Amino acid sequence: MGRNPVTWLGSPTFPRAARAALGDTQLRTNLRKATTTIRSKRARAVDELPDWERLRRAGEAVKDEVLANLDTYLVRVEEAVTARGGVVHWARDAEEANRIVLDLVRAKGADEVVKVKSMATAEIGLNEYLQAGGVRAVETDLAELIVQLGDDRPSHILVPAIHRNRAEIREIFARTMADAPATDDPKVLAEAARRHLRERFLSAKVAVSGANFAVADTGSIVVVESEGNGRMCLTLPETLITVMGIEKIVPTWRDLEVFLQLLPRSSTAERMNPYTSVWTGVTPGDGPGEFHLVLLDNGRTATLADEVGRQALRCIRCSACLNVCPVYERTGGQAYGSVYPGPIGAILAPQLAGDLRDKQAASLPYASSLCGACYEVCPVRIDIPEVLTHLRARAVKARPRNAEALAMASAAWVFRDPRRYEAAQRAGSLSRLLAGDDGMLTKLPWPGSKWTATRDVPSVPKESFRMWWRRNRG
Protein backbone atom coordinates (compact mmCIF):
# COMPACT_ATOMS: atom_id res chain seq x y z
CA MET A 1 0.00 0.00 0.00
CA GLY A 2 1.50 3.36 -1.08
CA ARG A 3 1.99 6.54 0.90
CA ASN A 4 -1.09 8.73 1.29
CA PRO A 5 -0.16 11.86 -0.74
CA VAL A 6 -2.78 14.17 0.84
CA THR A 7 0.19 15.95 2.44
CA TRP A 8 3.14 16.75 0.21
CA LEU A 9 6.19 14.59 0.81
CA GLY A 10 9.08 16.52 2.36
CA SER A 11 6.99 19.53 3.39
CA PRO A 12 8.21 21.36 6.50
CA THR A 13 5.98 21.80 9.52
CA PHE A 14 3.50 24.67 9.29
CA PRO A 15 5.42 27.07 11.60
CA ARG A 16 8.59 26.73 9.51
CA ALA A 17 6.75 27.08 6.19
CA ALA A 18 4.70 30.02 7.48
CA ARG A 19 7.81 31.85 8.63
CA ALA A 20 9.21 31.65 5.10
CA ALA A 21 5.90 32.71 3.52
CA LEU A 22 5.62 35.76 5.77
CA GLY A 23 8.85 37.07 4.27
CA ASP A 24 7.39 37.08 0.74
CA THR A 25 5.85 40.54 0.42
CA GLN A 26 4.53 39.94 -3.11
CA LEU A 27 2.71 36.81 -1.95
CA ARG A 28 1.11 38.67 0.94
CA THR A 29 0.02 41.50 -1.36
CA ASN A 30 -1.54 39.06 -3.84
CA LEU A 31 -3.35 37.17 -1.09
CA ARG A 32 -4.64 40.23 0.71
CA LYS A 33 -6.07 41.72 -2.47
CA ALA A 34 -7.71 38.49 -3.61
CA THR A 35 -9.19 37.36 -0.30
CA THR A 36 -10.50 40.83 0.55
CA THR A 37 -12.30 41.02 -2.79
CA ILE A 38 -13.80 37.53 -2.55
CA ARG A 39 -14.78 38.04 1.08
CA SER A 40 -16.71 41.26 0.45
CA LYS A 41 -18.50 39.84 -2.61
CA ARG A 42 -19.54 36.75 -0.68
CA ALA A 43 -20.96 38.84 2.15
CA ARG A 44 -23.13 40.81 -0.30
CA ALA A 45 -24.37 37.64 -2.01
CA VAL A 46 -25.29 35.99 1.27
CA ASP A 47 -27.05 39.08 2.60
CA GLU A 48 -29.53 38.81 -0.29
CA LEU A 49 -31.08 35.69 1.24
CA PRO A 50 -33.21 36.17 4.36
CA ASP A 51 -33.22 32.40 4.99
CA TRP A 52 -29.46 31.88 4.71
CA GLU A 53 -29.16 30.44 8.22
CA ARG A 54 -31.99 28.00 7.50
CA LEU A 55 -30.17 26.91 4.35
CA ARG A 56 -26.98 26.35 6.35
CA ARG A 57 -28.84 24.20 8.86
CA ALA A 58 -30.50 22.25 6.04
CA GLY A 59 -27.12 21.60 4.43
CA GLU A 60 -25.73 20.44 7.76
CA ALA A 61 -28.68 18.10 8.30
CA VAL A 62 -28.45 16.55 4.83
CA LYS A 63 -24.73 15.92 5.20
CA ASP A 64 -25.12 14.41 8.66
CA GLU A 65 -27.89 12.13 7.39
CA VAL A 66 -25.61 10.85 4.63
CA LEU A 67 -22.65 10.31 6.97
CA ALA A 68 -24.84 8.47 9.48
CA ASN A 69 -26.07 6.08 6.76
CA LEU A 70 -23.17 6.19 4.33
CA ASP A 71 -23.10 2.44 3.66
CA THR A 72 -26.72 2.49 2.51
CA TYR A 73 -26.28 5.49 0.24
CA LEU A 74 -23.10 4.13 -1.33
CA VAL A 75 -24.86 0.92 -2.33
CA ARG A 76 -27.76 2.97 -3.70
CA VAL A 77 -25.35 5.03 -5.84
CA GLU A 78 -23.62 1.92 -7.14
CA GLU A 79 -26.91 0.29 -8.11
CA ALA A 80 -28.22 3.42 -9.83
CA VAL A 81 -25.02 4.07 -11.82
CA THR A 82 -24.76 0.44 -12.89
CA ALA A 83 -28.43 0.31 -13.95
CA ARG A 84 -27.78 3.27 -16.27
CA GLY A 85 -24.77 1.81 -18.04
CA GLY A 86 -21.94 3.06 -15.84
CA VAL A 87 -19.25 1.03 -14.09
CA VAL A 88 -18.43 1.55 -10.42
CA HIS A 89 -14.98 0.89 -8.95
CA TRP A 90 -14.13 0.91 -5.22
CA ALA A 91 -10.75 2.29 -4.10
CA ARG A 92 -9.53 1.91 -0.53
CA ASP A 93 -6.61 4.30 -0.89
CA ALA A 94 -4.67 6.52 -3.29
CA GLU A 95 -2.59 3.68 -4.71
CA GLU A 96 -5.65 1.64 -5.61
CA ALA A 97 -7.53 4.59 -7.12
CA ASN A 98 -4.54 5.63 -9.23
CA ARG A 99 -4.03 2.11 -10.49
CA ILE A 100 -7.69 1.81 -11.52
CA VAL A 101 -7.56 5.07 -13.50
CA LEU A 102 -4.26 4.23 -15.22
CA ASP A 103 -5.53 0.78 -16.24
CA LEU A 104 -8.70 2.31 -17.70
CA VAL A 105 -6.70 4.89 -19.68
CA ARG A 106 -4.31 2.26 -21.02
CA ALA A 107 -7.25 0.06 -22.05
CA LYS A 108 -8.37 2.88 -24.38
CA GLY A 109 -4.87 3.20 -25.87
CA ALA A 110 -4.60 6.84 -24.75
CA ASP A 111 -1.39 8.61 -23.78
CA GLU A 112 -3.10 11.87 -22.75
CA VAL A 113 -6.20 12.76 -20.72
CA VAL A 114 -7.97 16.08 -20.19
CA LYS A 115 -9.04 16.91 -16.65
CA VAL A 116 -11.72 18.93 -14.95
CA LYS A 117 -10.53 20.59 -11.75
CA SER A 118 -10.68 17.92 -9.06
CA MET A 119 -9.53 18.04 -5.45
CA ALA A 120 -9.86 14.26 -5.14
CA THR A 121 -7.40 13.55 -7.96
CA ALA A 122 -4.99 16.12 -6.52
CA GLU A 123 -5.39 14.43 -3.13
CA ILE A 124 -4.25 11.06 -4.51
CA GLY A 125 -1.48 12.49 -6.72
CA LEU A 126 -3.11 11.19 -9.91
CA ASN A 127 -1.25 13.45 -12.34
CA GLU A 128 2.13 12.29 -11.08
CA TYR A 129 1.03 8.65 -11.11
CA LEU A 130 -0.22 8.91 -14.70
CA GLN A 131 2.98 10.61 -15.79
CA ALA A 132 5.05 7.80 -14.29
CA GLY A 133 2.84 5.42 -16.27
CA GLY A 134 3.43 7.23 -19.57
CA VAL A 135 0.19 9.23 -19.64
CA ARG A 136 0.06 13.01 -19.65
CA ALA A 137 -2.73 14.71 -17.70
CA VAL A 138 -3.75 18.15 -19.04
CA GLU A 139 -5.47 20.46 -16.57
CA THR A 140 -8.19 22.51 -18.29
CA ASP A 141 -9.30 24.77 -15.45
CA LEU A 142 -7.49 28.09 -15.98
CA ALA A 143 -6.03 28.34 -12.48
CA GLU A 144 -5.01 24.67 -12.44
CA LEU A 145 -3.42 25.15 -15.87
CA ILE A 146 -1.38 28.07 -14.50
CA VAL A 147 -0.19 25.91 -11.61
CA GLN A 148 0.64 23.01 -13.93
CA LEU A 149 2.52 25.07 -16.52
CA GLY A 150 4.39 26.91 -13.77
CA ASP A 151 5.47 23.59 -12.20
CA ASP A 152 3.92 24.98 -9.03
CA ARG A 153 1.66 23.81 -6.22
CA PRO A 154 -1.90 25.02 -5.62
CA SER A 155 -2.54 27.41 -2.75
CA HIS A 156 -6.34 27.71 -2.65
CA ILE A 157 -9.23 25.27 -3.01
CA LEU A 158 -11.24 27.40 -5.44
CA VAL A 159 -8.51 29.56 -6.99
CA PRO A 160 -5.36 27.39 -6.99
CA ALA A 161 -3.22 30.17 -8.49
CA ILE A 162 -4.40 32.89 -6.11
CA HIS A 163 -0.78 33.53 -5.13
CA ARG A 164 0.08 34.61 -8.70
CA ASN A 165 -0.58 38.04 -10.20
CA ARG A 166 -1.22 38.86 -13.87
CA ALA A 167 2.40 39.66 -14.69
CA GLU A 168 3.57 36.35 -13.24
CA ILE A 169 0.88 34.44 -15.18
CA ARG A 170 1.88 36.09 -18.45
CA GLU A 171 5.50 35.13 -17.83
CA ILE A 172 4.47 31.49 -17.26
CA PHE A 173 2.37 31.44 -20.46
CA ALA A 174 5.14 33.10 -22.48
CA ARG A 175 7.58 30.43 -21.32
CA THR A 176 5.32 27.41 -21.96
CA MET A 177 2.91 28.25 -24.81
CA ALA A 178 3.71 28.33 -28.50
CA ASP A 179 1.26 31.22 -29.01
CA ALA A 180 2.22 33.43 -26.07
CA PRO A 181 -0.01 36.29 -24.86
CA ALA A 182 1.13 39.78 -25.86
CA THR A 183 0.05 41.48 -22.61
CA ASP A 184 -1.10 40.59 -19.09
CA ASP A 185 -4.65 41.77 -19.73
CA PRO A 186 -7.03 39.12 -18.28
CA LYS A 187 -8.93 38.76 -21.56
CA VAL A 188 -5.68 38.21 -23.46
CA LEU A 189 -4.49 35.63 -20.93
CA ALA A 190 -7.83 33.78 -21.04
CA GLU A 191 -7.78 33.71 -24.86
CA ALA A 192 -4.24 32.31 -24.84
CA ALA A 193 -5.40 29.52 -22.53
CA ARG A 194 -8.37 28.77 -24.80
CA ARG A 195 -6.13 28.42 -27.86
CA HIS A 196 -3.72 26.25 -25.91
CA LEU A 197 -6.49 23.87 -24.78
CA ARG A 198 -8.74 23.74 -27.83
CA GLU A 199 -6.80 21.07 -29.73
CA ARG A 200 -6.55 18.91 -26.63
CA PHE A 201 -10.29 19.04 -26.04
CA LEU A 202 -10.98 17.94 -29.61
CA SER A 203 -8.42 15.13 -29.69
CA ALA A 204 -8.84 13.63 -26.21
CA LYS A 205 -10.12 10.06 -25.96
CA VAL A 206 -10.37 10.07 -22.17
CA ALA A 207 -11.39 12.69 -19.64
CA VAL A 208 -10.99 12.58 -15.86
CA SER A 209 -13.22 14.55 -13.52
CA GLY A 210 -14.03 14.94 -9.88
CA ALA A 211 -17.55 15.43 -8.57
CA ASN A 212 -19.22 18.03 -6.42
CA PHE A 213 -22.22 15.83 -5.68
CA ALA A 214 -23.77 12.46 -6.53
CA VAL A 215 -27.55 12.03 -6.25
CA ALA A 216 -28.19 8.63 -4.68
CA ASP A 217 -31.72 8.20 -6.06
CA THR A 218 -30.65 8.30 -9.71
CA GLY A 219 -26.85 7.88 -9.67
CA SER A 220 -26.48 11.30 -11.28
CA ILE A 221 -23.08 13.02 -10.96
CA VAL A 222 -22.89 16.81 -10.65
CA VAL A 223 -19.97 19.10 -11.48
CA VAL A 224 -20.22 22.86 -11.05
CA GLU A 225 -17.70 25.26 -12.60
CA SER A 226 -17.49 28.72 -14.10
CA GLU A 227 -15.38 28.49 -17.26
CA GLY A 228 -17.05 25.94 -19.53
CA ASN A 229 -13.98 23.71 -19.65
CA GLY A 230 -15.83 21.14 -17.58
CA ARG A 231 -18.62 20.91 -20.13
CA MET A 232 -16.04 20.24 -22.86
CA CYS A 233 -14.37 17.48 -20.83
CA LEU A 234 -17.64 15.86 -19.85
CA THR A 235 -19.12 15.67 -23.37
CA LEU A 236 -16.39 15.37 -26.04
CA PRO A 237 -14.17 12.39 -25.05
CA GLU A 238 -15.17 8.78 -25.68
CA THR A 239 -14.56 7.74 -22.06
CA LEU A 240 -15.23 9.65 -18.84
CA ILE A 241 -13.66 8.62 -15.52
CA THR A 242 -14.90 10.32 -12.35
CA VAL A 243 -12.96 10.06 -9.09
CA MET A 244 -15.23 10.94 -6.17
CA GLY A 245 -14.83 10.89 -2.41
CA ILE A 246 -17.39 8.63 -0.80
CA GLU A 247 -18.81 11.52 1.25
CA LYS A 248 -20.02 13.52 -1.78
CA ILE A 249 -23.47 11.92 -1.87
CA VAL A 250 -26.82 13.69 -1.42
CA PRO A 251 -29.94 11.51 -1.09
CA THR A 252 -32.33 13.22 -3.52
CA TRP A 253 -32.63 16.00 -6.09
CA ARG A 254 -34.50 18.07 -3.51
CA ASP A 255 -31.45 17.83 -1.26
CA LEU A 256 -29.22 18.87 -4.16
CA GLU A 257 -31.26 22.07 -4.47
CA VAL A 258 -30.02 23.16 -1.02
CA PHE A 259 -26.37 22.87 -2.04
CA LEU A 260 -26.86 24.56 -5.40
CA GLN A 261 -27.89 27.60 -3.37
CA LEU A 262 -25.19 27.31 -0.70
CA LEU A 263 -22.18 26.55 -2.88
CA PRO A 264 -22.10 29.38 -5.45
CA ARG A 265 -22.73 32.15 -2.92
CA SER A 266 -20.10 30.75 -0.55
CA SER A 267 -17.44 30.15 -3.19
CA THR A 268 -17.64 32.58 -6.12
CA ALA A 269 -20.25 34.92 -4.57
CA GLU A 270 -22.68 34.17 -7.43
CA ARG A 271 -26.41 33.49 -7.22
CA MET A 272 -25.95 30.36 -9.32
CA ASN A 273 -23.11 28.54 -11.01
CA PRO A 274 -22.46 29.55 -14.62
CA TYR A 275 -22.08 25.87 -15.60
CA THR A 276 -23.82 23.04 -13.75
CA SER A 277 -23.22 19.75 -15.56
CA VAL A 278 -25.19 16.63 -14.66
CA TRP A 279 -24.88 13.19 -16.21
CA THR A 280 -26.53 9.89 -15.38
CA GLY A 281 -24.73 6.79 -16.60
CA VAL A 282 -24.39 6.48 -20.37
CA THR A 283 -26.77 7.74 -23.06
CA PRO A 284 -26.11 6.26 -26.54
CA GLY A 285 -25.25 8.95 -29.06
CA ASP A 286 -24.98 11.67 -26.44
CA GLY A 287 -21.66 12.24 -24.68
CA PRO A 288 -19.08 9.62 -23.68
CA GLY A 289 -19.83 6.01 -24.59
CA GLU A 290 -18.20 4.76 -21.37
CA PHE A 291 -18.55 6.08 -17.84
CA HIS A 292 -16.52 4.88 -14.87
CA LEU A 293 -17.07 6.07 -11.29
CA VAL A 294 -14.21 5.51 -8.84
CA LEU A 295 -15.47 5.74 -5.24
CA LEU A 296 -12.54 6.85 -3.11
CA ASP A 297 -12.12 6.14 0.61
CA ASN A 298 -8.50 7.17 1.30
CA GLY A 299 -8.92 7.82 5.01
CA ARG A 300 -12.57 8.87 4.98
CA THR A 301 -13.86 5.78 6.79
CA ALA A 302 -11.32 6.34 9.56
CA THR A 303 -12.35 10.00 9.75
CA LEU A 304 -16.00 8.99 9.97
CA ALA A 305 -15.18 6.92 13.06
CA ASP A 306 -14.15 10.06 14.97
CA GLU A 307 -17.33 11.54 16.46
CA VAL A 308 -15.86 15.06 16.57
CA GLY A 309 -13.59 14.98 13.52
CA ARG A 310 -16.18 13.48 11.17
CA GLN A 311 -17.90 16.83 10.63
CA ALA A 312 -14.99 17.73 8.34
CA LEU A 313 -16.58 15.32 5.84
CA ARG A 314 -19.51 17.73 5.45
CA CYS A 315 -17.20 20.04 3.49
CA ILE A 316 -18.42 21.04 0.00
CA ARG A 317 -15.06 22.64 -0.97
CA CYS A 318 -16.39 26.20 -1.21
CA SER A 319 -13.24 27.81 0.32
CA ALA A 320 -15.22 30.42 2.29
CA CYS A 321 -13.21 29.55 5.40
CA LEU A 322 -9.92 30.33 3.61
CA ASN A 323 -11.09 33.76 2.55
CA VAL A 324 -11.87 34.90 6.11
CA CYS A 325 -8.94 33.24 7.86
CA PRO A 326 -6.31 35.74 9.13
CA VAL A 327 -3.66 33.01 9.18
CA TYR A 328 -4.29 31.92 5.59
CA GLU A 329 -4.35 35.53 4.36
CA ARG A 330 -0.82 36.04 5.66
CA THR A 331 0.80 32.70 4.86
CA GLY A 332 -1.00 31.42 1.77
CA GLY A 333 -1.96 27.85 1.04
CA GLN A 334 1.39 26.29 0.23
CA ALA A 335 2.56 26.74 3.84
CA TYR A 336 0.06 24.04 4.85
CA GLY A 337 1.97 21.44 2.83
CA SER A 338 -1.28 19.83 1.73
CA VAL A 339 -3.71 19.67 -1.16
CA TYR A 340 -6.27 21.07 1.30
CA PRO A 341 -5.07 24.42 2.72
CA GLY A 342 -6.63 26.87 5.13
CA PRO A 343 -8.89 26.09 8.09
CA ILE A 344 -10.63 23.14 6.41
CA GLY A 345 -7.26 21.72 5.40
CA ALA A 346 -6.02 22.05 8.97
CA ILE A 347 -8.71 19.59 10.10
CA LEU A 348 -9.21 17.47 6.98
CA ALA A 349 -5.64 16.78 5.85
CA PRO A 350 -4.38 15.36 9.18
CA GLN A 351 -7.35 13.02 9.38
CA LEU A 352 -7.09 11.77 5.80
CA ALA A 353 -3.32 11.36 6.20
CA GLY A 354 -4.15 9.21 9.20
CA ASP A 355 -1.02 9.67 11.28
CA LEU A 356 -0.83 12.45 13.85
CA ARG A 357 2.58 11.17 14.87
CA ASP A 358 3.87 12.77 11.65
CA LYS A 359 5.25 16.19 12.61
CA GLN A 360 3.96 17.98 9.50
CA ALA A 361 0.41 16.61 9.77
CA ALA A 362 0.37 17.18 13.53
CA SER A 363 1.37 20.83 13.06
CA LEU A 364 -1.69 21.69 10.94
CA PRO A 365 -4.30 21.86 13.75
CA TYR A 366 -2.14 24.61 15.28
CA ALA A 367 -2.36 26.74 12.11
CA SER A 368 -5.18 28.81 13.58
CA SER A 369 -5.90 31.62 16.01
CA LEU A 370 -9.24 29.93 16.90
CA CYS A 371 -11.04 33.19 16.12
CA GLY A 372 -14.10 31.29 14.82
CA ALA A 373 -14.58 33.28 11.60
CA CYS A 374 -14.38 30.02 9.61
CA TYR A 375 -17.34 28.52 11.47
CA GLU A 376 -19.43 31.66 10.95
CA VAL A 377 -19.11 31.48 7.14
CA CYS A 378 -19.14 27.70 6.63
CA PRO A 379 -22.25 26.87 4.57
CA VAL A 380 -22.61 23.46 6.26
CA ARG A 381 -21.76 24.69 9.77
CA ILE A 382 -18.55 22.74 10.36
CA ASP A 383 -17.33 23.79 13.79
CA ILE A 384 -13.72 24.04 12.70
CA PRO A 385 -12.41 25.50 16.01
CA GLU A 386 -13.92 22.55 17.88
CA VAL A 387 -12.24 20.05 15.55
CA LEU A 388 -8.93 21.95 15.71
CA THR A 389 -8.76 21.71 19.50
CA HIS A 390 -9.85 18.07 19.34
CA LEU A 391 -7.06 17.23 16.89
CA ARG A 392 -4.54 19.16 18.98
CA ALA A 393 -5.40 16.90 21.88
CA ARG A 394 -5.01 13.83 19.68
CA ALA A 395 -1.66 15.10 18.41
CA VAL A 396 -0.39 15.59 21.95
CA LYS A 397 -1.43 12.05 22.92
CA ALA A 398 0.19 10.63 19.79
CA ARG A 399 3.60 12.17 20.34
CA PRO A 400 6.16 10.59 22.68
CA ARG A 401 6.68 12.11 26.12
CA ASN A 402 8.70 15.31 25.60
CA ALA A 403 9.72 18.53 27.31
CA GLU A 404 6.19 19.94 27.02
CA ALA A 405 4.69 16.87 28.70
CA LEU A 406 7.28 17.04 31.47
CA ALA A 407 6.53 20.74 31.98
CA MET A 408 2.79 20.01 32.29
CA ALA A 409 3.47 17.21 34.77
CA SER A 410 5.69 19.54 36.81
CA ALA A 411 3.00 22.24 36.78
CA ALA A 412 0.42 19.70 37.97
CA TRP A 413 2.72 18.74 40.85
CA VAL A 414 3.08 22.42 41.84
CA PHE A 415 -0.65 23.19 41.61
CA ARG A 416 -1.62 20.22 43.79
CA ASP A 417 -0.09 21.76 46.94
CA PRO A 418 -0.84 25.33 48.22
CA ARG A 419 2.65 25.75 49.70
CA ARG A 420 4.37 24.69 46.49
CA TYR A 421 2.04 26.96 44.51
CA GLU A 422 2.87 30.02 46.66
CA ALA A 423 6.59 29.27 46.50
CA ALA A 424 6.33 29.16 42.70
CA GLN A 425 4.53 32.52 42.73
CA ARG A 426 7.30 34.11 44.76
CA ALA A 427 9.94 32.66 42.44
CA GLY A 428 7.96 33.79 39.40
CA SER A 429 7.80 37.35 40.67
CA LEU A 430 11.57 37.59 40.06
CA SER A 431 10.76 37.61 36.32
CA ARG A 432 10.02 41.33 36.64
CA LEU A 433 13.78 41.86 36.80
CA LEU A 434 13.97 40.71 33.17
CA ALA A 435 11.08 42.90 31.99
CA GLY A 436 11.35 46.13 30.06
CA ASP A 437 9.94 49.49 31.08
CA ASP A 438 6.50 48.40 29.89
CA GLY A 439 6.52 45.38 32.21
CA MET A 440 6.63 42.89 29.29
CA LEU A 441 9.06 40.02 28.88
CA THR A 442 10.29 39.98 25.29
CA LYS A 443 13.16 37.50 25.54
CA LEU A 444 13.38 34.53 27.89
CA PRO A 445 15.99 31.77 28.09
CA TRP A 446 15.08 28.28 26.85
CA PRO A 447 12.48 26.83 27.14
CA GLY A 448 10.70 30.17 27.61
CA SER A 449 12.30 31.34 24.37
CA LYS A 450 9.86 29.10 22.50
CA TRP A 451 7.12 31.47 23.65
CA THR A 452 8.87 34.83 23.40
CA ALA A 453 10.15 34.06 19.90
CA THR A 454 6.68 34.97 18.58
CA ARG A 455 4.91 36.85 21.40
CA ASP A 456 5.54 38.88 24.54
CA VAL A 457 4.42 37.89 28.02
CA PRO A 458 3.68 40.13 31.03
CA SER A 459 5.98 39.69 34.00
CA VAL A 460 4.63 38.26 37.25
CA PRO A 461 3.76 41.05 39.76
CA LYS A 462 5.95 41.46 42.81
CA GLU A 463 2.99 40.67 45.06
CA SER A 464 0.41 37.97 44.36
CA PHE A 465 -3.28 38.39 45.12
CA ARG A 466 -2.98 35.91 47.99
CA MET A 467 -0.18 37.93 49.56
CA TRP A 468 -2.14 41.16 49.09
CA TRP A 469 -5.23 39.61 50.69
CA ARG A 470 -3.32 38.41 53.73
CA ARG A 471 -1.68 41.79 54.16
CA ASN A 472 -4.89 43.82 53.79
CA ARG A 473 -7.64 41.47 54.93
CA GLY A 474 -5.86 38.88 57.04
Side-chain angles (χ1 to χ4, degrees):
M1 188 177 294
R3 181 189 68 84
N4 190 331
V6 67
T7 54
W8 294 321
L9 186 64
S11 295
T13 60
F14 181 82
R16 288 181 56 199
R19 194 172 296 115
L22 288 171
D24 188 336
T25 55
Q26 184 62 63
L27 171 68
R28 295 180 67 180
T29 299
N30 295 350
L31 288 169
R32 183 171 59 254
K33 181 178 180 180
T35 56
T36 300
T37 300
I38 298 172
R39 188 164 60 235
S40 60
K41 287 184 176 180
R42 177 208 164 271
R44 290 194 296 271
V46 166
D47 286 345
E48 292 178 350
L49 295 183
D51 62 343
W52 179 252
E53 188 58 29
R54 290 180 60 195
L55 279 171
R56 291 181 72 211
R57 290 185 179 277
E60 175 188 18
V62 171
K63 281 291 187 177
D64 283 349
E65 157 65 18
V66 170
L67 294 176
N69 301 281
L70 187 57
D71 53 346
T72 300
Y73 286 113
L74 284 169
V75 171
R76 191 181 299 179
V77 166
E78 181 184 35
E79 292 173 347
V81 170
T82 303
R84 290 161 176 80
V87 180
V88 176
H89 309 262
W90 298 81
R92 289 168 292 187
D93 55 26
E95 177 68 27
E96 194 166 347
N98 286 330
R99 186 170 64 250
I100 290 169
V101 175
L102 180 59
D103 289 347
L104 291 171
V105 174
R106 283 175 171 169
K108 303 306 294 183
D111 59 6
E112 183 175 281
V113 299
V114 288
K115 286 186 66 203
V116 188
K117 181 177 181 294
S118 163
M119 298 301 297
T121 59
E123 173 190 321
I124 63 177
L126 178 63
N127 287 11
E128 294 78 10
Y129 191 94
L130 291 178
Q131 185 176 7
V135 176
R136 183 188 179 207
V138 179
E139 296 288 354
T140 64
D141 174 84
L142 178 57
E144 289 285 0
L145 178 66
I146 293 166
V147 170
Q148 184 177 47
L149 294 180
D151 194 23
D152 201 355
R153 284 176 170 173
S155 61
H156 193 276
I157 289 176
L158 184 69
V159 194
I162 195 172
H163 57 291
R164 297 289 191 184
N165 59 30
R166 296 187 313 185
E168 292 172 318
I169 295 169
R170 180 186 178 276
E171 191 277 327
I172 291 171
F173 282 6
R175 191 175 68 245
T176 57
M177 291 182 177
D179 190 2
T183 71
D184 63 2
D185 180 87
K187 291 182 180 179
V188 174
L189 295 174
E191 183 58 32
R194 288 192 190 98
R195 292 195 300 268
H196 177 78
L197 292 171
R198 184 67 56 174
E199 181 181 348
R200 288 162 176 80
F201 281 134
L202 296 174
S203 62
K205 295 180 179 180
V206 180
V208 177
S209 84
N212 292 99
F213 308 102
V215 182
D217 276 359
T218 58
S220 303
I221 310 299
V222 183
V223 165
V224 297
E225 41 103 9
S226 58
E227 299 173 19
N229 61 300
R231 189 68 54 84
M232 302 282 278
C233 289
L234 301 172
T235 56
L236 292 177
E238 301 167 5
T239 300
L240 173 60
I241 305 168
T242 296
V243 181
M244 184 185 82
I246 57 175
E247 80 281 16
K248 293 291 186 177
I249 300 172
V250 296
T252 68
W253 282 87
R254 185 174 182 179
D255 298 316
L256 177 64
E257 175 200 358
V258 173
F259 296 100
L260 292 183
Q261 294 181 74
L262 288 170
L263 181 55
R265 292 176 188 268
S266 296
S267 56
T268 55
E270 295 171 298
R271 296 183 179 93
M272 64 180 292
N273 296 290
Y275 295 90
T276 301
S277 299
V278 184
W279 66 98
T280 306
V282 174
T283 302
D286 182 10
E290 287 186 28
F291 170 56
H292 297 267
L293 175 63
V294 181
L295 292 172
L296 176 69
D297 187 326
N298 203 41
R300 287 160 173 80
T301 299
T303 302
L304 185 62
D306 188 320
E307 293 185 1
V308 177
R310 71 174 57 154
Q311 57 186 298
L313 296 178
R314 292 186 206 143
C315 178
I316 58 175
R317 309 296 191 265
C318 70
S319 75
C321 61
L322 280 71
N323 300 325
V324 299
C325 178
V327 176
Y328 175 86
E329 183 176 317
R330 287 157 179 80
T331 65
Q334 294 182 354
Y336 292 79
S338 166
V339 172
Y340 300 109
I344 187 61
I347 65 170
L348 186 60
Q351 296 191 89
L352 295 183
D355 188 4
L356 282 169
R357 293 170 299 178
D358 176 78
K359 288 185 177 181
Q360 196 277 331
S363 73
L364 292 178
Y366 294 89
S368 171
S369 65
L370 300 179
C371 68
C374 48
Y375 176 47
E376 292 176 5
V377 300
C378 177
V380 287
R381 291 172 46 83
I382 301 171
D383 192 342
I384 293 178
E386 178 188 30
V387 183
L388 286 168
T389 54
H390 171 69
L391 292 179
R392 290 179 185 184
R394 281 182 52 189
V396 169
K397 290 180 180 178
R399 71 171 70 128
R401 193 172 178 85
N402 57 11
E404 181 183 359
L406 291 173
M408 291 297 104
S410 300
W413 179 79
V414 170
F415 292 163
R416 276 197 297 266
D417 184 275
R419 289 188 297 272
R420 290 197 292 262
Y421 181 69
E422 290 186 7
Q425 285 183 316
R426 288 192 295 270
S429 68
L430 297 176
S431 66
R432 69 186 187 280
L433 301 177
L434 302 175
D437 294 338
D438 59 356
M440 301 298 291
L441 298 168
T442 60
K443 191 173 184 181
L444 288 174
W446 190 91
S449 58
K450 293 285 189 178
W451 179 276
T452 55
T454 55
R455 57 183 72 82
D456 295 340
V457 62
S459 61
V460 179
K462 181 178 180 180
E463 185 178 48
S464 70
F465 176 77
R466 286 179 177 227
M467 294 169 64
W468 178 90
W469 183 268
R470 287 199 190 104
R471 183 166 56 80
N472 290 279
R473 298 287 192 272

